[in-house]
Amino acid sequence: MAEQSPEIKGGGSLILAWQVRNKRILMVGGGEVAAGRIVNLLNADAKVTVVSPREGLNPEVAYRIKHNQVTYIDRKFQPSDLDDPSIVMVLTAVDDPVAGSEIYKLCKEKRIPANIADVPPECDFYFGSVHRDGPLQIMVSTNGKGPKLANIVRRQIAANLPSNIGDAISQVGVLRRKLRKVAPGIEEGPKRMQWYVCAVI
């Protein structure tokens, strides 16, 4: 039995699809890196609060603020920004590494997961390179070691996917919901799976 067990290869990350819909995320910084993070958060339907002086805002971040896509606080970060109990995650993208480290320490004290941009040791989680087509999301992660390389690998994977894969997955989702209505019981799971496989194949 032991011979069939997979070999443990430490040093990886636990890759998850973190559901942040309607959850409050604090973004400290308003530059180019912050702009990319904000897009990811808004695509995940998160409620984003941006803390950054107005003079340092990236044009895209300014656009999000102008159109009320994020909540905006026009100043530098203050420790009291972490007092909101609804905050479930903190991201920083600031040019001051000392300030980033201090924010990370404060987050650890409050047990709030944090990502300090470009400082892998001070990240509870990493952002990968993501390909999205409707409901399909594929992330390539290098655990903070090579973001540019992750982007190259992600593009190669995406180039080999069928052009209509997102629509196909959406239709599969519709089928699954219909089958759950026809055979809703837990004990009917094998029956649903059989119908599902026949329909997809």
Side-chain angles (χ1 to χ4, degrees), residues 56-115:
L57 291 179
N58 172 278
E60 185 178 325
V61 177
Y63 173 89
R64 306 287 175 205
I65 293 166
K66 180 180 178 181
H67 291 84
N68 298 313
Q69 295 177 358
V70 300
T71 300
Y72 178 54
I73 301 173
D74 181 6
R75 58 165 169 73
K76 289 186 176 182
F77 171 85
Q78 295 177 1
S80 60
D81 291 330
L82 299 178
D83 290 343
D84 182 349
S86 68
I87 293 174
V88 299
M89 179 190 299
V90 173
L91 312 177
T92 78
V94 293
D95 294 331
D96 184 349
V98 175
S101 293
E102 184 59 32
I103 294 170
Y104 182 70
K105 290 174 186 174
L106 292 169
C107 288
K108 293 301 279 184
E109 290 173 7
K110 290 182 174 286
R111 298 187 177 185
I112 303 173
N115 175 282

Side-chain angles (χ1 to χ4, degrees), residues 11-45:
S13 296
L14 182 63
I15 296 181
L16 304 170
W18 195 341
Q19 298 295 326
V20 293
R21 176 177 287 123
N22 295 323
K23 294 180 180 175
R24 178 64 57 189
I25 313 293
L26 180 66
M27 177 76 243
V28 181
E32 183 179 354
V33 173
R37 300 283 197 257
I38 290 168
V39 169
N40 290 333
L41 294 171
L42 293 177
N43 281 337
D45 301 318

